[in-house]
Amino acid sequence: MARHRILVVDDDALTGLIISKMATVLHLSWDVKSCSHPAQVFTLFSESGWRPDLALIDHFMPDLEGPALVDLLMQHGEPLAWVGISSSVAHDLWQGPHPAEAYFTKPITSDMLHICDTLAQLAKVKSTHSLLKAAI
């Protein structure tokens, strides 16, 4: 059984495949879903009900940049813990109302995926805490 659900959104479909394969090699036990277009995220969520523990989102995508996608998801009531990934090191581009948990420059390394594994666990704890708080 997968320990964490990880969403990869990158217009380069190879990124999602690489992350999925690396997670397998590193024995991270992830359920990885990839979307090569931001609109696919909404389709994935609405058709399957699947939600990620953590999303790795590319900044520079042709139709909708990563931070704008996160803003849209948040506006639609989809809380999302996310990590920014980019070929550029200009992390100041990621400023906005919903900051990322971390920012990584491609290529993605095994150390980065281990950090993502920890961030996914933290996101699960925060989500559980929010649910418990709401129930009280």
Side-chain angles (χ1 to χ4, degrees), residues 17 29 31 44 57 60 89 95-97 100 106 128 130-131 133:
L17 181 63
S29 185
D31 173 15
L44 173 68
I57 302 177
F60 297 107
V89 294
Q95 301 301 319
K106 296 176 192 174
T128 301
S130 294
L131 290 171
K133 241 174 114 173

Side-chain angles (χ1 to χ4, degrees), residues 25-93:
V25 168
L26 295 170
H27 305 287
L28 294 177
S29 185
W30 287 359
D31 173 15
V32 179
K33 304 256 189 256
S34 297
C35 297
S36 59
H37 191 281
Q40 292 174 326
V41 175
F42 292 96
T43 303
L44 173 68
F45 286 8
S46 66
E47 290 180 0
S48 70
W50 187 89
R51 297 295 184 277
D53 298 313
L54 185 72
L56 283 72
I57 302 177
D58 186 22
H59 186 288
F60 297 107
M61 294 184 284
D63 297 321
L64 188 66
E65 292 190 341
L69 172 61
V70 172
D71 290 345
L72 275 175
L73 289 166
M74 296 290 196
Q75 289 170 12
H76 284 90
E78 297 290 348
L80 187 67
W82 67 288
V83 170
I85 56 175
S86 178
S87 298
S88 167
V89 294
H91 298 301
D92 58 324
L93 298 172

Side-chain angles (χ1 to χ4, degrees), residues 7-20:
L7 173 65
V8 179
V9 185
D10 194 317
D11 56 309
D12 180 357
L14 190 56
T15 301
L17 181 63
I18 290 169
I19 289 172
S20 181

Side-chain angles (χ1 to χ4, degrees), residues 79-121:
L80 187 67
W82 67 288
V83 170
I85 56 175
S86 178
S87 298
S88 167
V89 294
H91 298 301
D92 58 324
L93 298 172
W94 295 83
Q95 301 301 319
H98 308 290
E101 302 293 326
Y103 308 101
F104 296 135
T105 303
K106 296 176 192 174
I108 301 298
T109 67
S110 59
D111 288 341
M112 291 173 184
L113 293 188
H114 283 293
I115 291 168
C116 287
D117 196 60
T118 300
L119 291 172
Q121 184 64 38

